[in-house]
Amino acid sequence: MQSLEAELEQARGLSVSELADAIESIGFECTRCGACCTAETNDDGADSDADAETTEAHTATVFPDEVRTLLEGAEEDFDDEPRELAADGATADEWRDVARPMPYGLAEGEDGHLVGETFEWALQTTACGDCVFYEEDEQGVGGCVAHEDRPLICRTYPFSVALAGTSQPMGEAVDEEGLVRAHECEGLGRDISRADAEDLAAALKERAVRELEEAIGVRDNYEPASPASDGVVVHDSEGAKRPDGTPVEE
Ligand code: SF4
């Protein structure tokens, strides 16, 4: 297996034009269905009752600087009218409003709270499990209230690049072309303009590079840390942090 550094070199050398060719060939247009911004409903197959359905909270990786961009966006762009989070009309002014520890690898403690170490941040979710930045208008058409500041994972969904050390969102790929993988999405297969394909390809390359830089930073900065007061430590490329984004100081 290649080192993360070798993968990073490969990511930096990706051709935007070739990625755009692949995206054009697969095809994509966002239908604003909201599936990539909301909780996932799983039908357990026991029977057809709604009771048999379980929901899994929306999970999307967000880098530490992207969390700060979302927070700054709330302060700068919406000075007089702070950006409202879909959750409860609260405004985004604290780390926890925007991000939560990625739950993978965490265990449930005695009091039911999650405990342990994790290596990523995820976009914060509402009580329903949807992304806090997702909201629907009166006609039920979904949208992102942080659109200009949305993280790379959102800018590039449903695509990923098949390089080790980069993330492959939402399970197995359903289509592929060259190094580009496409994941489940009802917008796949639709016509896309060359300009949009190139924009998407550029963001996809940027995401692959950033994911690998983050993975290298996490590896290089990892120091075992005692669990924070509420039992969770997030190791990101900047070091060990509490769930509120503050550094864990030993
Ligand atoms: S930040 Fe915006 S685009 Fe990304 S998951 Fe949330 S609502 Fe969707």
Side-chain angles (χ1 to χ4, degrees):
M1 192 171 132
Q2 286 206 94
S3 68
L4 289 174
E5 281 77 4
E7 298 285 341
L8 176 58
E9 274 317 295
Q10 211 181 329
R12 285 180 174 148
L14 286 170
S15 155
V16 170
S17 174
E18 284 175 23
L19 294 177
D21 289 346
I23 289 167
E24 255 189 315
S25 155
I26 293 170
F28 171 67
E29 182 187 14
C30 178
T31 64
R32 300 190 67 187
C33 69
C36 60
C37 303
T38 53
E40 197 179 352
T41 303
N42 302 307
D43 182 349
D44 291 348
D47 52 41
S48 57
D49 289 343
D51 291 349
E53 290 184 351
T54 56
T55 56
E56 209 174 302
H58 173 264
T59 309
T61 303
V62 57
F63 300 130
D65 61 304
E66 291 180 324
V67 175
R68 285 190 286 271
T69 299
L70 285 162
L71 289 169
E72 282 162 16
E75 282 167 21
E76 287 171 15
D77 305 342
F78 297 81
D79 230 12
D80 298 330
E81 193 184 332
R83 172 180 297 158
E84 287 192 354
L85 298 180
D88 54 5
T91 54
D93 56 10
E94 289 182 7
W95 188 279
R96 281 180 198 265
D97 290 336
V98 170
R100 66 188 173 114
M102 183 64 84
Y104 304 138
L106 299 178
E108 210 169 285
E110 282 174 13
D111 58 1
H113 283 95
L114 293 175
V115 293
E117 292 181 303
T118 184
F119 298 89
E120 281 180 295
W121 295 97
L123 285 166
Q124 187 55 279
T125 52
T126 65
C128 307
D130 299 342
C131 174
V132 284
F133 293 107
Y134 178 76
E135 94 185 0
E136 289 180 2
D137 64 18
E138 284 164 7
Q139 283 75 45
V141 178
C144 173
V145 297
H147 193 72
E148 290 305 314
D149 293 332
R150 69 198 194 287
L152 282 164
I153 193 92
C154 306
R155 292 175 192 276
T156 51
Y157 193 84
F159 296 104
S160 63
V161 175
L163 287 178
T166 62
S167 67
Q168 308 292 313
M170 283 188 157
E172 293 300 308
V174 296
D175 202 352
E176 62 182 77
E177 185 70 38
L179 277 180
V180 173
R181 301 287 177 269
H183 301 260
E184 199 177 329
C185 174
E186 70 169 34
L188 287 173
R190 294 168 178 247
D191 287 345
I192 182 169
S193 70
R194 182 67 192 179
D196 286 350
E198 284 179 359
D199 285 350
L200 228 164
L204 195 55
K205 176 178 177 177
E206 185 186 349
R207 185 182 121 209
V209 169
R210 293 286 312 285
E211 284 178 341
L212 284 155
E213 288 173 345
E214 180 72 15
I216 289 168
V218 170
R219 181 199 65 195
D220 292 350
N221 286 315
Y222 179 75
E223 295 272 356
S226 310
S229 55
D230 52 3
V232 174
V233 176
V234 182
H235 296 276
D236 65 26
S237 58
E238 299 168 356
K241 291 182 184 148
R242 298 186 178 84
D244 64 3
T246 57
V248 174
E249 285 148 19
E250 291 299 306

